[in-house]
Amino acid sequence: MLFYLSLAAFLSLLVMLTYRYRAFIEPHLPERIKSLFPKSHNYTPLSTFSQQVGLGMTSSDFDIEANIRDGDSRAGLDEQGTQEVLEIMRRERVDFDQARLIRHNRILARNGIDPSGMPLDSKAVTHL
């Protein structure tokens, strides 16, 4: 019984490690085996801080270059938020800080908050 439990634990560990290091293992697999997993070809890693700096996603008020200098281990900014800011920059022809402000004000408006931070609900208690 202990043998089978140990075997199951070892196989589970092997599966978890294979999944964790799949990006390193995949290039060494034969094409015949890679073709069994078509989704792995569509994988694109998240953008990094240095890629986002190249897209103009930095300013003196929001200094991503400081994160790079300090060796920040995070992957980068939120992908969805990055795309929204880039779209605002392109569509409205504004710089990075203005696009961030526009996106932030839209989020506040969706949640019933005006740009100053006060709730738009007339029944909201803001002081006692």
Side-chain angles (χ1 to χ4, degrees), residues 2-3 20 29 36 41 45-46 48 52-53 65 69 96-97 107 111 114-115 117 122:
L2 187 59
F3 171 75
R20 168 66 176 93
L29 292 175
L36 297 174
H41 297 294
L46 295 174
T48 61
Q52 290 166 343
V53 167
E65 293 170 344
R69 282 192 305 273
F96 177 62
D97 286 328
I107 292 170
N111 291 303
D114 75 356
S122 61

Side-chain angles (χ1 to χ4, degrees), residues 25 59 86:
I25 295 171
S59 70
L86 285 172

